[in-house]
């Protein structure tokens, strides 16, 4: 396997079925990474901590996190992940519909690695997912991995 074909594990934390479907389609059609999906913040933390039904879940190399989630919102998840020494090195991309300056600022204060506003147009949404994937698979060095190229 070449570095260009390196596979990473991505965890999508998203409660909107339409956004989940579009993200899955982007991964199925254009990307070659593993995508797991949880639909609320409590599930996300159980997944990341390998609790309950997620006991055998792989450690994600990247988390795509919506902010407005049931049970535990994305801000709480982000704060918990970045405060936990066993999870804090996992890059977290906030991927949300919110363009509110306070959400952007708060996300970075909580140590999000990036903040991306979801495009509502399908083609632009797919392109945004592809760009995130390209950056984290081909450009940056992830913890525990080899530097690409």
């Amino acid at each position: 396997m070449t570095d260009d074909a390196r596979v990473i594990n991505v965890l999508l934390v998203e409660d909107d079925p339409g956004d989940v479907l579009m993200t899955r389609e982007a991964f199925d059609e254009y990307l070659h990474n593993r995508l797991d999906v949880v639909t609320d913040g409590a599930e996300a933390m159980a997944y990341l901590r390998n609790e309950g039904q997620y006991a055998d879940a792989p450690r994600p190399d990247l988390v795509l996190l919506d902010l407005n989630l049931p049970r535990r919102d994305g801000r709480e998840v982000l704060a918990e992940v970045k405060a936990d020494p066993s999870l804090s090195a996992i890059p977290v991309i906030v991927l949300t519909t919110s363009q509110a300056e306070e959400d952007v600022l708060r996300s970075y204060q909580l140590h999000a690695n990036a903040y991306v506003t979801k495009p509502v147009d399908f083609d632009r949404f797919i392109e945004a997912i592809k760009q995130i994937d390209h950056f984290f698979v081909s450009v940056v060095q992830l913890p525990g991995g080899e530097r690409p190229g």
Side-chain angles (χ1 to χ4, degrees), residues 53-71:
Q53 69 182 10
Y54 302 108
D56 296 324
R59 179 181 175 90
D61 298 300
L62 177 65
V63 174
L64 301 176
L65 178 66
D66 188 23
L67 287 182
N68 302 310
L69 297 166
R71 295 179 62 202

Side-chain angles (χ1 to χ4, degrees), residues 65-135:
L65 178 66
D66 188 23
L67 287 182
N68 302 310
L69 297 166
R71 295 179 62 202
R72 186 177 298 165
D73 85 0
R75 296 157 199 84
E76 293 173 82
V77 171
L78 181 57
E80 257 185 88
V81 167
K82 293 305 183 176
D84 184 329
S86 68
L87 301 174
S88 63
I90 299 171
V92 177
I93 306 301
V94 172
L95 183 63
T96 187
T97 55
S98 174
Q99 296 182 21
E101 184 62 31
E102 64 199 43
D103 285 337
V104 176
L105 181 60
R106 185 74 183 129
S107 294
Y108 282 118
Q109 288 171 337
L110 293 171
H111 306 290
N113 296 84
Y115 190 101
V116 177
T117 301
K118 292 179 201 169
V120 291
D121 173 79
F122 177 76
D123 291 332
R124 295 211 288 187
F125 182 89
I126 296 292
E127 190 57 35
I129 295 295
K130 287 167 57 177
Q131 287 179 14
I132 291 168
D133 179 83
H134 173 74
F135 184 71

